[in-house]
Amino acid sequence: MKKILLTLLLLITSMPALASETLLIASVAGYKTVIETLAKSYSQQTGATVERIYGNMGQIVGQAQSSGKVDLMIGEESFLRASALPLADAAPLGKGRLVLAWPKGKSEPADLTDSNITRIAIPDATRAIYGKATMEYLNNSGLHEALKDKLVVVGTVPQVFAYLSTGEVDAGFLNLTQAMAVTKQLGGFIEMDEKLYKPIAIACIRLQTSPNAAAAEDFARFLQTEEARTILTAHGL
């Protein structure tokens, strides 16, 4: 009881300080559903406003560089570390996983090389985490040569889903979190063999130039709480 009262007291006393803060998070689009849930939960606890922008890795890095207004980046850690962004410490969110999905009303493709499979959507491998992972998977599985003329390259994971939902492609590669968020709108999905693409470490990283450093650090601490971990796990991280 004493611990609960202390937690409530800390929460109450911290709200006035954070209630006036506005955080800006730039995240990869394939994790929009989980970030929306986390942001809503954090705002309810602290009163802080959490604004979000989404895109592929290349887009969010570019937006952070040009605007100077981003407090936190969420994406694949090694990709972000390789950028010119001034990054501080990271809060790990979980392991990203690649899946193959197919449109509602269709069955799991037994063989992607079959002539009945003519269009397969993938995110841009040069700018999106799961585009890069898809190409690693196709190359390491020996499927790339047979499938290269069937690939439909789009900008982001949500765009892959858009093609799947309208039946414009026969299959598409995206991430587990996105697939779980739209399960009812898909025919189904399966996870790809993790040995055939490099590990994907999803993290939230604070920018050293964060305009709201104290609130950014507080949000990063929130991500390590049991409540946040429960949300992340429920979304496949």
Side-chain angles (χ1 to χ4, degrees):
M1 179 61 74
K2 184 177 180 180
K3 185 177 180 180
I4 294 174
L5 290 173
L6 179 59
T7 301
L8 288 173
L9 178 61
L10 289 172
L11 177 61
I12 291 170
T13 55
S14 66
M15 284 191 68
L18 295 171
S20 60
E21 297 282 355
T22 298
L23 275 175
L24 179 56
I25 297 174
S27 170
V28 284
Y31 289 97
K32 182 176 181 177
T33 55
V34 65
I35 301 307
E36 292 293 308
T37 305
L38 289 167
K40 182 179 179 181
S41 178
Y42 180 74
S43 292
Q44 288 175 340
Q45 289 187 23
T46 64
T49 300
V50 181
E51 296 181 344
R52 289 85 71 186
I53 55 176
Y54 298 99
N56 61 36
M57 293 291 292
Q59 289 169 333
I60 64 172
V61 167
Q63 288 174 323
Q65 289 173 326
S66 61
S67 73
K69 297 180 179 179
V70 174
D71 297 292
L72 296 156
M73 304 288 293
I74 294 178
E76 207 282 316
E77 183 168 5
S78 65
F79 188 106
L80 291 172
R81 295 286 181 196
S83 74
L85 291 172
L87 301 175
D89 48 313
L93 301 186
K95 179 174 66 176
R97 286 179 278 182
L98 178 69
V99 307
L100 175 73
W102 51 93
K104 193 169 186 176
K106 292 191 174 183
S107 302
E108 177 184 347
D111 182 359
L112 291 177
T113 65
D114 190 279
S115 59
N116 291 327
I117 306 296
T118 60
R119 290 165 60 85
I120 303 170
I122 70 168
D124 185 345
T126 65
R127 300 170 64 83
I129 305 169
Y130 290 93
K132 180 182 176 185
T134 297
M135 292 305 294
E136 291 170 351
Y137 170 80
L138 294 179
N139 285 321
N140 292 330
S141 63
L143 287 170
H144 182 259
E145 186 62 26
L147 301 183
K148 64 181 182 181
D149 294 331
K150 301 182 179 184
L151 301 181
V152 178
V153 179
V154 298
T156 64
V157 160
Q159 287 176 308
V160 171
F161 166 65
Y163 273 70
L164 286 167
S165 65
T166 56
E168 294 183 53
V169 295
D170 301 302
F173 287 93
L174 33 73
N175 62 315
L176 178 61
T177 297
Q178 176 71 34
M180 290 175 66
V182 296
T183 298
K184 293 182 179 178
Q185 299 170 67
L186 295 172
F189 63 88
I190 53 171
E191 286 193 43
M192 299 292 94
D193 187 345
E194 294 182 27
K195 299 185 186 67
L196 298 179
Y197 60 92
K198 293 179 181 177
I200 300 171
I202 305 300
C204 177
I205 307 180
R206 183 172 55 83
L207 282 158
Q208 294 176 3
T209 54
S210 165
N212 306 286
E217 290 178 2
D218 190 70
F219 185 82
R221 284 194 292 272
F222 164 74
L223 294 176
Q224 305 308 308
T225 63
E226 184 175 345
E227 178 183 350
R229 295 308 314 171
T230 299
I231 293 171
L232 290 164
T233 300
H235 287 80
L237 282 168

